Amino acid sequence: MLRNPSPYFILALPVALFALVMGVAAASGQNLPAPQFGRDYVKRIALDDRGGIELPEIQGDDSDERPLVVIDPGHGGHDPGASGVDVVEKNLVLDLALALRDALLEQGDVRVALTRSDDRYLLHAERYEIARRLGADLFVSIHADSAGEASEVEGASIYTLSTRASSEAAARFAERENRADRINGQEISGQSDVVNTILVELSQRRTQEESREFADLIQREGEDRIRFHPQPRRSAALKVLRAPDVPSVLFESGFITNEEEAARLASPEGRRRFAETLARAIRIYFVRQREDLLEERPAQLGEDTAADTPPDEPAEAKDETSTP
């Protein structure tokens, strides 16, 4: 008896048996109908690499049409991320994500979901696929940076997807999604791969514009509240940002190889400043989106925060306290 038979041996068995049966039938003068392979004889199973993703709970009022923000704490599980003095990235960013979730729920303007709320590992594609499958309106991936031995380097930075990476990813998305119904509201089922690639590229261009707009707001709202790197705005071929129909940013909260910055980010005050800054940027982003949809953008929106505040609520004075 073969303990580990070759796959070719396994495939050959039914073919040999079929030939034997047909030979016996021919010898006896019987006519057997030829089997229609691919119908009743072969069970075809469509393999969907997204089917095993466990979708997280959406928090907030799920009965209304409030926008959905998906927060992604980077790394997790066997992947600790960067390490600093008594600080591990996967734990730090989870604490920051939970603080942002709480701030958004307290604010009450949006619904929130976390890609992970515990110490588990997710692939990059699973992270943005969660956002897509939930129908997210915004995706925020939170990380912490490392500068190796250069312990003096500090400051947060904001990443969006680079144009080149967007173009390279478009064809792959089109190939994978060519059986889906739509991307960003555009019907793509039944289209050719070339047409699908074009549709994905167009969707990504619009998504990238919205991603850059949100990144602008983070930098603006955090100017006097959190420390930024001297070059805070960056673009890169980051896999986690490649959803073609969900505006996405990756926020590097700071360098945990800098002992002072790591301690600040891990402190209750540091988490509070982070959460308040991003929650405010998120709120303003969706206010602007709503104004654009309704075509009622004020004539003088300007760059002041008061112009971004909904008319039914008083403008809040911006905290001018410097970052400790």
Side-chain angles (χ1 to χ4, degrees):
M1 178 178 181
L2 295 175
R3 291 184 177 274
N4 295 298
S6 165
Y8 298 104
F9 176 78
I10 295 174
L11 290 173
L13 278 176
V15 175
L17 290 174
F18 169 69
L20 178 62
V21 171
M22 295 298 292
V24 172
S28 61
Q30 298 181 31
N31 292 321
L32 296 180
Q36 301 179 48
F37 290 102
R39 297 187 184 178
D40 298 331
Y41 295 85
V42 178
K43 185 66 174 179
R44 298 186 181 274
I45 302 175
L47 298 179
D48 185 351
D49 60 350
R50 298 168 293 167
I53 300 177
E54 180 181 352
L55 296 181
E57 175 189 3
I58 296 177
Q59 296 178 279
D61 190 350
D62 195 29
S63 63
D64 63 15
E65 297 299 322
R66 297 183 186 185
L68 172 62
V69 180
V70 171
I71 306 170
D72 172 46
H75 306 282
H78 69 268
D79 176 17
S83 297
V85 181
D86 299 325
V87 178
V88 178
E89 181 180 1
K90 69 173 183 178
N91 300 327
L92 173 69
V93 298
L94 178 57
D95 289 339
L96 292 174
L98 292 172
L100 176 56
R101 177 202 62 184
D102 294 344
L104 289 170
L105 292 176
E106 181 179 358
Q107 186 173 279
D109 297 324
V110 300
R111 297 172 295 143
V112 185
L114 272 67
T115 57
R116 70 176 183 96
S117 56
D118 53 19
D119 187 17
R120 71 177 65 189
Y121 176 76
L122 294 168
L123 299 172
H124 291 104
E126 290 177 322
R127 296 172 188 271
Y128 65 67
E129 193 60 45
I130 286 173
R132 296 192 69 221
R133 291 180 64 182
L134 289 177
D137 300 284
L138 191 62
F139 177 80
V140 183
S141 188
I142 304 172
H143 288 253
D145 219 334
S146 170
E149 299 297 324
S151 60
E152 73 282 358
V153 181
E154 66 176 354
S157 52
I158 313 160
Y159 283 85
T160 53
L161 183 66
S162 69
T163 302
R164 175 175 296 181
S166 175
S167 298
E168 292 171 352
R172 287 194 293 272
F173 266 107
E175 182 179 358
R176 197 183 79 181
E177 298 293 333
N178 61 0
R179 291 183 179 83
D181 291 331
R182 60 186 62 243
I183 285 181
N184 211 356
Q186 175 65 52
E187 183 76 27
I188 69 169
S189 58
Q191 304 285 357
S192 70
D193 288 344
V194 174
V195 172
N196 284 344
T197 299
I198 294 172
L199 292 174
V200 173
E201 285 182 343
L202 291 173
S203 176
Q204 284 186 321
R205 288 179 189 176
R206 188 176 106 182
T207 299
Q208 283 181 284
E209 290 176 4
E210 294 172 351
S211 300
R212 288 191 291 268
E213 178 184 346
F214 177 55
D216 288 340
L217 288 171
I218 296 176
Q219 186 176 358
R220 191 191 82 178
E221 293 303 308
E223 182 179 355
D224 299 316
R225 299 183 61 79
I226 57 180
R227 292 181 183 175
F228 283 106
H229 188 272
Q231 296 178 330
R233 294 294 303 280
R234 307 179 186 188
S235 63
L238 297 170
K239 294 180 181 179
V240 77
L241 300 180
R242 289 189 175 183
D245 44 7
V246 183
S248 307
V249 301
L250 185 147
F251 187 81
E252 291 278 7
S253 54
F255 287 82
I256 59 175
T257 45
N258 181 305
E259 185 175 357
E260 179 184 351
E261 184 153 77
R264 182 170 63 249
L265 290 170
S267 69
E269 175 63 15
R271 289 195 295 269
R272 183 184 67 82
R273 285 180 176 272
F274 164 84
E276 289 179 353
T277 297
L278 264 71
R280 187 168 181 82
I282 289 169
R283 181 170 184 266
I284 294 172
Y285 170 80
F286 284 125
V287 168
R288 286 186 172 185
Q289 292 292 310
R290 182 174 62 188
E291 289 171 346
D292 287 342
L293 289 174
L294 296 176
E295 297 182 351
E296 294 178 355
R297 178 179 289 275
Q300 295 180 340
L301 182 62
E303 288 300 315
D304 59 299
T305 304
D308 291 314
T309 305
D312 58 338
E313 298 183 18
E316 300 178 17
K318 190 171 182 178
D319 188 348
E320 299 296 334
T321 306
S322 61
T323 304

